[in-house]
Amino acid sequence: MVAKTFGSAVSGVDAKLITIEVNVGQGTSFFMVGLPDSAVKESQQRVESSLKYYGYRMPRQKVVINLAPADIKKEGSSYDLPIAIGIMQASEQVVFPELEKYLIMGELALDGKLRRIKGVLPIAIEARKKGFKGFILPKENAKEASIVNNIDVIPVETLQEAIHFLEGKEVIEPMVTDTRTLFYDSIEESAFDFADVQGQENIKRAMEIAAAGGHNVIMIGPPGAGKTMLAKRLPSILPPMSLQEALETTKIHSVAGKLGASSSLIAQRPFRSPHHTISDVALVGGGGNPQPGEISLSHNGVLFLDELPEFKRTVLEVMRQPLEERKVTISRARVTVDFPANFMLIASMNPCPCGYYNHPDKECVCGPGVVQKYLNRVSGPLLDRIDLHVEVTPVNFDEMTSDRKSESSKSIRQRVTSAREFQQARFADSPEVHCNAMMPSHMVKEVVKINQAGKTLLKTAMDRLGLSARAYDRILKVSRTIADLSLSDEIKVEHLAEAIQYRSLDRDGWAG
C-alpha cells in the first residue's frame, strides 16, 4: 500500500511543499530516495525506536520512502514525524481518515517525544497558502507557528499523541495567538534609553539624524567615550516596526533557528553585534545549505560592528554590495538563494592603535604613519557607503555628575517618526524606497533641490575634502533628512552645513 504525508523544505526564507510517499511491499530492505541528506536518512533508526516504544512495529518488508519533488535537497531531522505517520498508514497498522488535510513536521527522540525544529514560520505560511486544514508540529514550536492565522496549529508532544489525533481518538485544541494584540503589546518595550546617556548631545543629534533617514554611521573616539552605549540605544529611537516588518524579521530568525521556545513574534527591531573574529560566511550568510548571516538577522534593525578596523578585510568588503542592494544573494552550484538585508550599519573604532589620537587630554603614543595605516584598514569604498562620520569625545566630569535629566528615547522617537512619515509621503509612488538613505542616485537629483548658496557651499566642501561622487550623494541625502527633522520642504544652507560636518574622516585632521 502507498501512503502520502506532507512536509516542507525551507529554501532561503521561504518554504516548499514536500510530499512524503511511503510504499510497503514484498521484500526485506529499506530505501529512502528523493535527495535526502545524512540526517534525513538516519530517521530510520529514530522512527523504528519510537514506533517500538509505543507498541507499534516497523514493517519487516520492503519499505520505500520517496521525498518529492526529488530534485530538491532535503536536510535536517524534521521529516521524522511525517515518515513515521506514513509508515503507520502504509503498513495498515492504523487508519488516518483526514491525513491529507494536515502538513506534518517534527524530530523524534528515541522514546517518541518530539523536539523543536527550525523554520516553522515559513512552513506555516506555506501550509496556509496550499490550503491545508492544519499543521501538526512539536509543542515547543507551536507559539511561533500560531502567529499565522486561518490554519489550525496542532501542538503535539509525542508520536503517540499525533497518532491518536489523526485517528480521531484524541481532540487537541489548536493553539491560537492574537497576532495584532501580541504585536502592539510588545512594540514599545526597550531595555535601553537615551535618558541614561549623560552629555554627548552632538552624538545624540547624529544618531537622531541617522534614525530619521535610515543612514549608516561610524563613530570614531577613544576607549570609554560611550560609543557602544550610544549604539545599543539606537533601536530605541527607530520608528516602531510595522506588522509586515515584524513578520519578515521573525521569518528570518525562524529559518536560522534563533527563536526560543517561548518566542513568537519579534516586535522589537533587532540589534546584532558580532565579534570581530567573525568569518565572511557568518556575516553575509552561506554554507552548504545556505543559512542567513548576521546582516540578514539584522534585517529591519541595526548591525553594530565594534572596533571596525579589527575585522578582517575580506569580511568588511563582502558587505559593500548588500549595503547598496539591501539584500544578499548566495549562489551555489545547485541553488541560488536571496536573503533580505535591509539594515542600518553602526560602526565604531578607535582613532589609532593606542586610542588617543586627537584626544583633548591624553597624548597619542603612536609613531609616524601609524594612525594612517590603522585608518587604512577600513577601505575608502566602505567608508563612502557610510553616511555619517561622527567624532566622539570623552564626557567630562561635570557632565557625568550633572543632575540634569537627558532627553528620553520616547521623545526623540516621536521626532524621528514624524520625519519618516514625511518621507513615506514623498516616496509613496516608489514602493522600494522607504527612507532617504534608500534613494537611488537618479532620485536624489529629483528630490534634493538646493539653492545657489547651498551649491557654492557644497562646491567648496567638495574641493577642500576631495569627496567622491558617492560621498556627494550621501551629503545630499543627509541634508534632506535634517530638513525633514525640521519639517522643512526646502533644504537650507544650515542643513547642508550640518550634513557636511558629518564627514570627519574626509578632513585633513584625519590624514595621519
Side-chain angles (χ1 to χ4, degrees):
M1 180 181 173
V2 176
K4 284 185 184 180
T5 58
F6 297 96
S8 186
V10 176
S11 173
V13 291
D14 296 310
K16 295 174 181 171
L17 185 66
I18 301 294
T19 304
I20 296 118
E21 300 168 334
V22 183
N23 182 27
V24 176
Q26 289 187 339
T28 56
S29 43
F30 184 97
F31 295 101
M32 190 176 293
V33 295
L35 224 56
D37 74 346
S38 298
V40 180
K41 287 176 183 174
E42 288 166 0
S43 68
Q44 178 187 355
Q45 312 304 327
R46 293 189 294 270
V47 167
E48 184 170 353
S49 176
S50 298
L51 290 175
K52 284 181 177 176
Y53 188 84
Y54 290 111
Y56 302 104
R57 61 181 172 81
M58 188 74 170
R60 294 300 167 212
Q61 296 162 273
K62 183 179 178 183
V63 178
V64 180
I65 296 168
N66 178 39
L67 308 172
D71 60 342
I72 296 174
K73 188 163 185 178
K74 323 302 183 304
E75 295 181 303
S77 53
S78 53
Y79 297 99
D80 292 0
L81 185 58
I83 287 171
I85 297 291
I87 289 172
M88 296 288 288
Q89 175 96 329
S91 60
E92 299 180 335
Q93 295 181 63
V94 289
V95 176
F96 301 127
E98 295 192 325
L99 184 59
E100 74 285 349
K101 293 182 180 178
Y102 291 91
L103 190 142
I104 306 167
M105 294 295 277
E107 177 189 337
L108 288 170
L110 295 180
D111 61 356
K113 287 183 179 168
L114 283 164
R115 295 193 172 112
R116 63 180 288 106
I117 59 173
K118 293 199 296 187
V120 159
L121 183 56
I123 293 171
I125 292 168
E126 179 69 6
R128 182 180 65 179
K129 198 163 80 177
K130 295 295 184 187
F132 284 98
K133 177 186 177 183
F135 179 16
I136 299 171
L137 77 169
K139 192 173 185 177
E140 284 187 66
N141 290 109
K143 199 169 180 186
E144 178 187 336
S146 66
I147 64 177
V148 180
N149 55 15
N150 299 328
I151 185 167
D152 292 345
V153 173
I154 309 297
V156 292
E157 291 187 80
T158 64
L159 171 62
Q160 182 79 81
E161 245 183 89
I163 291 170
H164 284 172
F165 172 78
L166 286 166
E167 281 185 293
K169 289 181 180 177
E170 188 175 335
V171 176
I172 300 175
E173 286 300 314
M175 183 169 277
V176 179
T177 298
D178 186 340
T179 311
R180 292 189 178 276
T181 304
L182 175 71
F183 174 67
Y184 290 114
D185 282 351
S186 54
I187 199 169
E188 293 294 335
E189 292 173 11
S190 182
F192 301 104
D193 198 299
F194 268 101
D196 306 331
V197 183
Q198 294 285 24
Q200 303 290 27
E201 300 306 324
N202 58 327
I203 319 301
K204 289 180 192 172
R205 168 68 177 169
M207 289 290 191
E208 184 179 334
I209 293 166
H215 302 290
N216 302 321
V217 183
I218 183 166
M219 294 180 282
I220 314 104
K227 304 185 292 293
T228 304
M229 188 180 188
L230 287 155
K232 282 183 176 176
R233 280 153 180 75
L234 182 64
S236 69
I237 64 168
L238 287 169
M241 280 211 280
S242 66
L243 188 55
Q244 180 60 37
E245 284 177 325
L247 285 166
E248 272 178 21
T249 306
T250 309
K251 203 155 89 164
I252 296 165
H253 284 249
S254 173
V255 169
K258 300 289 184 187
L259 289 177
S262 60
S263 303
S264 52
L265 189 66
I266 295 176
Q268 300 296 314
R269 293 194 180 271
F271 178 86
R272 304 292 298 181
S273 179
H275 192 259
H276 59 73
T277 53
I278 192 171
S279 68
D280 44 1
V281 170
L283 187 71
V284 298
N289 172 31
Q291 290 288 300
E294 288 291 337
I295 62 173
S296 295
L297 293 170
S298 309
H299 181 61
N300 291 322
V302 175
L303 177 68
F304 176 48
L305 301 184
D306 200 4
E307 302 299 344
L308 190 67
E310 303 302 329
F311 283 80
K312 291 197 287 286
R313 184 86 173 207
T314 52
V315 171
L316 296 180
E317 296 310 298
V318 292
M319 277 204 308
R320 280 158 54 174
Q321 188 182 5
L323 277 170
E324 291 288 323
E325 296 187 1
R326 310 274 170 178
K327 67 175 182 179
V328 60
T329 303
I330 310 292
S331 296
R332 295 289 177 267
R334 284 182 165 275
V335 68
T336 299
V337 173
D338 282 341
F339 289 116
N342 182 16
F343 61 95
M344 275 180 69
L345 173 64
I346 307 297
S348 76
M349 60 181 281
N350 293 332
C352 65
C354 81
Y356 296 109
Y357 180 71
N358 272 5
H359 193 283
D361 303 317
K362 296 186 181 179
E363 195 170 329
C364 175
V365 296
C366 299
V370 172
V371 177
Q372 187 59 49
K373 188 178 177 184
Y374 187 73
L375 292 176
N376 285 345
R377 290 194 196 176
V378 184
S379 70
L382 181 63
L383 282 177
D384 261 0
R385 287 169 169 81
I386 298 176
D387 307 356
L388 290 92
H389 305 166
V390 187
E391 196 175 341
V392 184
T393 52
V395 180
N396 62 43
F397 183 78
D398 291 340
E399 285 180 324
M400 216 182 300
T401 55
S402 170
D403 292 332
R404 187 170 65 87
K405 190 73 175 166
S406 296
E407 190 176 17
S408 71
S409 292
K410 191 174 182 181
S411 57
I412 300 172
R413 181 188 249 188
Q414 286 169 353
R415 293 197 296 273
V416 167
T417 306
S418 297
R420 283 284 182 109
E421 286 167 358
F422 220 56
Q423 291 163 47
Q424 282 166 1
R426 179 184 302 130
F427 303 128
D429 298 331
S430 306
E432 296 298 310
V433 182
H434 306 296
C435 57
N436 290 334
M438 297 174 76
M439 280 192 286
S441 294
H442 67 86
M443 192 179 280
V444 174
K445 290 176 182 172
E446 295 168 18
V447 170
V448 185
K449 304 288 185 187
I450 51 176
N451 57 28
Q452 193 55 50
K455 286 179 183 173
T456 306
L457 175 66
L458 207 46
K459 184 179 185 303
T460 307
M462 290 286 290
D463 294 342
R464 188 170 295 171
L465 301 176
L467 300 177
S468 68
R470 187 182 277 115
Y472 168 77
D473 267 5
R474 304 280 166 184
I475 288 173
L476 291 180
K477 289 178 185 179
V478 172
S479 64
R480 180 62 266 173
T481 301
I482 295 168
D484 289 342
L485 277 168
S486 308
L487 303 180
S488 167
D489 289 318
E490 181 192 350
I491 296 175
K492 298 173 182 172
V493 174
E494 56 264 32
H495 299 149
L496 265 173
E498 188 177 356
I500 291 165
Q501 79 166 9
Y502 294 123
R503 301 297 300 184
S504 295
L505 292 177
D506 296 322
R507 289 199 223 116
D508 292 339
W510 289 99

